[in-house]
Amino acid sequence: MDNEEKAIFGSWIQAIGTVLAAIGSTPIKELSSDLLDSLNLIGNVMQGTGNALISDTIDPPSLDKLGNQIQAIGNSTEVAGILIDFDEKVKQILEIDGNWLQALGGSVALADALGGERSIEALYSIYGNLLQTIGNSLQAISGIKELFNQDGQSLNVVGSWIQAVGSVISAIGQTKYP
């Protein structure tokens, strides 16, 4: 698999993972909470994997590469919070930190896209990364609200889906303009 194919594959793995995590974050009466939690876990693993694959295709090092690496670290932080047997407060803090790291990574990649050539490809990257950054930030804020015993579920759902839309836009841009 060449770098172009790997970048497209990684983009879609990330996008699918983001959609799965958004479904897992959405309260759906017909789905058990265990299934929703599993979708959230699988989605975060796929997002991190996709970001790592994308990062591996970018040479020389750039803000885009660094942004994807930071996003992968953010997903890994969330996965650790889900899988490791911590108390609920520590799990919540890891989820918040993971979302902030993903937002930071998206911002770094956004800065790269804003500083680059003006093209349709750059436009997909700008909008995709902007929406992912906004979505992750909303998710982190919802986690902070929940940490202080306030309702943050609606904000988390909205943030998850905004991130998912941004991820799909980025994947479409990667596919159409590799």
Side-chain angles (χ1 to χ4, degrees), residues 10-22:
S11 293
W12 283 107
I13 291 296
Q14 181 203 24
I16 292 166
T18 308
V19 171
L20 288 176

Side-chain angles (χ1 to χ4, degrees), residues 88-110:
E88 286 306 310
K89 184 175 180 180
V90 172
K91 286 179 172 283
Q92 189 67 39
I93 290 169
L94 287 170
E95 183 179 339
I96 293 164
D97 290 348
N99 278 307
W100 281 133
L101 284 166
Q102 288 180 69
L104 174 63
S107 297
V108 170
L110 174 61

Side-chain angles (χ1 to χ4, degrees), residues 6-178:
K6 188 192 292 186
I8 292 169
F9 181 70
S11 293
W12 283 107
I13 291 296
Q14 181 203 24
I16 292 166
T18 308
V19 171
L20 288 176
I23 293 168
S25 297
T26 305
I28 302 170
K29 293 176 186 173
E30 292 79 12
L31 301 179
S32 71
S33 62
D34 285 345
L35 177 58
L36 293 173
D37 290 344
S38 294
L39 289 172
N40 191 35
L41 172 62
I42 292 166
N44 272 287
V45 169
M46 289 179 72
Q47 286 176 63
T49 302
N51 280 313
L53 287 168
I54 295 165
S55 174
D56 191 46
T57 67
I58 301 169
D59 195 41
S62 65
L63 287 175
D64 191 26
K65 182 179 188 82
L66 178 62
N68 279 285
Q69 291 170 334
I70 294 170
Q71 284 179 316
I73 292 167
N75 288 113
S76 298
T77 303
E78 284 200 58
V79 168
I82 294 168
L83 292 178
I84 299 175
D85 189 25
F86 293 121
D87 69 34
E88 286 306 310
K89 184 175 180 180
V90 172
K91 286 179 172 283
Q92 189 67 39
I93 290 169
L94 287 170
E95 183 179 339
I96 293 164
D97 290 348
N99 278 307
W100 281 133
L101 284 166
Q102 288 180 69
L104 174 63
S107 297
V108 170
L110 174 61
D112 187 72
L114 287 169
E117 275 184 39
R118 297 290 175 229
S119 65
I120 296 296
E121 176 186 4
L123 200 56
Y124 277 97
S125 182
I126 289 167
Y127 282 117
N129 283 306
L130 178 62
L131 288 171
Q132 289 181 74
T133 300
I134 291 168
N136 282 121
S137 297
L138 291 174
Q139 288 176 282
I141 292 166
S142 81
I144 292 168
K145 288 181 73 164
E146 290 177 7
L147 195 60
F148 290 100
N149 298 316
Q150 299 173 8
D151 182 23
Q153 185 177 33
S154 295
L155 192 58
N156 186 53
V157 171
V158 169
S160 294
W161 285 105
I162 289 172
Q163 180 193 6
V165 169
S167 183
V168 170
I169 288 171
S170 292
I172 292 169
Q174 184 67 49
T175 303
K176 290 182 83 166
Y177 306 99

